Amino acid sequence: MARRPRARTLGTLLDEMAAARGAAEAIVWRDRRVSWAEWRDEAETFAAALLALGIEPGDRVAVLLPNRPEWLVAAFAAARIGAVTAAVSTFSTPRELEWTLRHCGASALVAVPGFAGRDFLGPLAGFRAALPRLRSVVRVDGGEGDGDDPAGPGGGDALAWEDAMALGAGNREAAARAPGPGPGDICYILYTSGSTAEPKGVTLAHGHVLANGFDIGARQHLTARDRLWLAVPLFWSFGAANALPAIATHGGTAVLQERFEPAAAIETIERERCTVFYGMANMARAIRAHPSWSPDRMASMRTGLTIGTPADVRFTMETLGADELCNVYGSTETCGNCAVTDGRDPVEVRLHTQGFPLPGMEIRAVDPETRAPLPAGAVGELAVSGYTTPGYFDAPEATAAAFDAGGRFLTGDLGLVGADGRVRFRGRLRETIKTGGVNVAPLEVETVLAEHPDVRQAHVVGLPDAERDEIVAAAVEVAPGSGCGAAALRAHCRERLASYKVPAVLALLAAGDIPRTATGKVHKPGLRDMLAGKRG
C-alpha cells in the first residue's frame, strides 16, 4: 500500500515527490517527457516569473490551456506562492471568457492563442479594457492551432512562455523565499454549472484536494508504477481535483491528451502502457467503434473511474479491459468525488453502487424539505460533510444556500445510503442537465436564447440519451412573422455558449402549446415528454 504523502499543499507535494521520485516520469505529452525534478524546477521558475509580474498571495492566475505540461507547471507555480489557479474552459466563447476573467478578477492569464477552432487572444483585445485587474498575459504556443498568428490581435503584448521562464530564471531565489500557502488556503477556482444563469466558481483548498485525492487513488490501488491516461480536461474537477491529485500523491505518471479523439486515445494508451482510465461511457463507445480498437491494444489497462448505468460501467470495463474500474459519486464541490467503490470489490457491487464514502467524508440522505436525516435505504437528497468547498467565489448568498444548518453540502442529487453503508445514486433533484458527464444549467441556456431579439420565451430541459446520459432540449416561442428558425437560434447559441450547452433538440412552439400547471408555471415533465416526441 502506498504511503500517504506528508505534504498538505500542492507546492510541497511537488517538492516531496521530486525528492523521492526525481528522475522518474511525472508528465508525458506527445513526445515530451517531464520528470518529477523537472516539473518541480519549471514550477519554481514560473513561480518566480509570476512574482516578477506582480502576482501576490490570493491573486488569481487564470489558466486557459488544454491538457499539456504548461497547465500543470502554471497551476503548481501559482500554488507555490499562494496564488489561486482559476481554471478556464477551452470550450469558452468570447462571451464566456470575458465573464470568467471578470468574475474571478484574474491578475494574470496563461493561455494558448486558440484551440479547437476557438480564438482566445483575438477577442481578448476587444474586452481587455474592461478587465482592469488583468495586468499580464502569458502566451503558450506550440500546440493545436499552431497556424494561428501568435502576434495577432490581442496577442501582441502577451509575454511568450519562453520569455516568462527566462524572466523567472533570474528570480528563482525570490520564489524559494516566498512564504507558501497553508492547507486551508484556496488552490483552485473551478467553474461549474448548476441552477443559476451563470456558472459558479467553486473554491477548493490545498489540504482537502490532496487528502481526498490520495484516498481516491487508494480505492484504485494506485502505485508509482501506474500511468494515467488523461483526456478529461484539467479545467474540470474530474481532471484537476480528482485525477491529478490521485496520481500525483501516489507518484505515478500523467499521460496527457489535449482533447479526446478515439484513434489518438487508442494509440496513446497502447504506446504509453497506460493503466488508469478516467472517462465516461460515451468515450468508451467511441473507442470501441473505432476500426483500430482491439482488446490487445488495451492490455495494459487495469483501473480508473467512471460513472453511468450498470450497463455503461460494464461496457466501459470490457472495452478498456479495466477489470478494476471504479464507480464513483461526487461533484466539484466535494473535490471531485466523495464516494468511490474499491477496485477489488465484486463486479456487481461496482456496477450497482458508488461505494463507501471516502475517509474524511460523511454522506447522508436527508428529507429534501425538512433536511431531517432519513433511515438507511430511504431515498432523499444526498448531503455531504468533510472535504467540501469552503464556498463559491464572490457569491455569499449562493454559498449560504448550498449548505444546511449543520454545514453539510446539499448536492441536489437523489440517492440513498444502504444498510451496508454504500452510496447509491438515484438521479437529480434539481434541474441541472448532465450531458457527457458535464453539468449544464437550463437557466443559462434559457437566458442566452432570450437574448435573441425574436424570442418571446424559452424553456430548457434535459432528455435521456443513450450516448451522453442527457442532451439539452429547448422549446422556444418566437415573435409571429419573424421568420426566425431553429438553425438561426442554434447559431445564436453557438456564438455565446460552449458547444455542449447548445440545444440538440430545439422546437418552435406557440405560447399556448407549452404545457403549464394549474398555476401557470411551465410543467417541466410535460415539456420533456413533448420535446422527446419531437426528437429526431
Side-chain angles (χ1 to χ4, degrees):
M1 180 179 294
R3 179 183 63 83
R4 184 183 296 272
R6 295 184 298 275
R8 299 186 65 199
T9 66
L10 298 187
T12 55
L13 175 69
L14 198 49
D15 290 338
E16 184 176 341
M17 289 300 168
R21 300 276 297 149
E25 285 183 352
I27 306 167
V28 173
W29 177 67
R30 298 187 176 182
D31 59 356
R32 183 178 172 192
R33 297 176 186 275
V34 181
S35 71
W36 283 98
E38 289 167 336
W39 183 8
R40 188 269 319 280
D41 290 347
E42 289 187 28
E44 188 169 285
T45 299
F46 194 66
L50 292 175
L51 289 172
L53 293 171
I55 302 302
E56 299 178 349
D59 283 351
R60 272 75 66 197
V61 176
V63 177
L64 175 55
L65 300 172
N67 289 4
R68 52 184 295 163
E70 291 87 354
W71 201 107
L72 302 179
V73 171
F76 278 69
R80 292 185 79 87
I81 60 173
V84 178
T85 295
V88 186
S89 169
T90 57
F91 291 112
S92 296
T93 63
R95 166 190 168 272
E96 292 168 319
L97 176 58
E98 179 181 5
W99 183 91
T100 304
L101 294 176
R102 181 185 297 115
H103 181 266
C104 72
S107 296
L109 168 65
V110 183
V112 286
F115 182 71
R118 300 277 194 199
D119 180 15
F120 300 136
L121 295 187
L124 177 65
F127 57 76
R128 186 168 176 181
L131 303 170
R133 293 185 180 179
L134 184 60
R135 299 191 297 272
S136 302
V137 177
V138 177
R139 186 188 71 242
V140 179
D141 298 317
E144 184 176 329
D146 291 346
D148 295 339
D149 177 10
D157 65 343
L159 183 67
W161 176 267
E162 294 77 13
D163 293 336
M165 294 297 280
L167 175 65
N171 197 41
R172 285 281 295 268
E173 289 186 6
R177 293 194 306 268
D185 289 329
I186 302 303
C187 61
Y188 289 141
I189 300 174
L190 304 178
Y191 284 91
T192 183
S193 296
S195 59
T196 58
E198 301 289 0
K200 291 180 286 190
V202 180
T203 63
L204 296 176
H206 285 261
H208 286 181
V209 167
L210 292 188
N212 204 57
F214 180 84
D215 293 330
I216 291 170
R219 294 281 170 96
Q220 300 169 76
H221 300 274
L222 298 186
T223 73
R225 296 185 299 277
D226 277 303
R227 299 171 69 81
L228 164 72
W229 171 74
L230 190 62
V232 172
L234 280 161
F235 52 77
W236 286 335
S237 64
F238 203 39
N242 187 323
L244 178 58
I247 196 70
T249 56
H250 287 79
T253 305
V255 179
L256 305 179
Q257 187 173 326
E258 282 179 290
R259 61 171 170 165
F260 175 69
E261 193 281 321
I266 294 166
E267 193 275 332
T268 301
I269 290 168
E270 180 183 39
R271 182 189 71 241
E272 297 298 334
R273 304 297 296 165
C274 294
T275 59
V276 187
F277 170 85
Y278 265 65
M280 312 302 170
N282 61 302
M283 298 166 75
R285 291 189 189 98
I287 288 172
R288 182 72 168 262
H290 197 273
S292 67
W293 173 87
S294 73
D296 289 345
R297 302 192 74 180
M298 302 288 105
S300 61
M301 273 291 179
R302 178 182 65 82
T303 187
L305 301 188
T306 193
I307 59 173
T309 66
D312 285 341
V313 177
R314 188 185 293 277
F315 179 86
T316 304
M317 285 181 182
E318 293 172 350
T319 296
L320 276 298
D323 293 339
E324 297 182 10
L325 191 68
C326 302
N327 197 346
V328 303
Y329 172 73
S331 65
T332 303
E333 291 88 344
T334 63
C335 294
N337 284 151
C338 52
V340 180
T341 58
D342 191 289
R344 295 170 186 171
D345 279 337
V347 171
E348 289 303 308
V349 170
R350 289 182 281 133
L351 295 179
H352 296 282
T353 85
Q354 285 69 48
F356 294 115
L358 289 163
M361 293 287 198
E362 180 184 308
I363 305 174
R364 62 172 59 177
V366 301
D367 185 285
E369 298 297 328
T370 67
R371 310 296 187 206
L374 297 174
V379 175
E381 181 173 9
L382 295 175
V384 183
S385 59
Y387 299 139
T388 62
T389 176
Y392 299 112
F393 183 75
D394 198 26
E397 292 183 359
T399 299
F403 293 86
D404 67 13
R408 297 177 183 84
F409 173 67
L410 300 168
T411 64
D413 292 327
L414 290 171
L416 62 91
V417 180
D420 60 0
R422 291 186 172 92
V423 175
R424 291 161 173 84
F425 173 72
R426 290 292 183 262
R428 281 172 287 283
L429 179 65
R430 299 171 188 163
E431 294 180 353
T432 303
I433 300 165
K434 190 175 285 290
T435 179
V438 188
N439 287 344
V440 175
L443 183 56
E444 181 183 9
V445 183
E446 291 168 353
T447 299
V448 167
L449 283 166
E451 291 171 352
H452 192 286
D454 293 330
V455 170
R456 294 282 183 85
Q457 60 177 317
H459 305 283
V460 172
V461 295
L463 296 182
D465 183 75
E467 293 294 321
R468 302 192 62 79
D469 188 18
E470 290 182 297
I471 56 173
V472 179
V476 182
E477 179 196 0
V478 299
S482 68
C484 180
L489 292 175
R490 284 200 181 92
H492 170 82
C493 289
R494 279 194 292 271
E495 291 176 357
R496 294 161 176 80
L497 295 170
S499 57
Y500 61 87
K501 302 177 187 176
V502 176
V505 175
L506 198 155
L508 301 180
L509 301 175
D513 293 336
I514 296 174
R516 297 185 181 274
T517 67
T519 59
K521 295 181 179 180
V522 174
H523 186 249
K524 290 295 181 79
L527 184 62
R528 286 189 187 91
D529 292 343
M530 175 181 287
L531 290 173
K534 296 179 179 295
R535 184 175 177 180

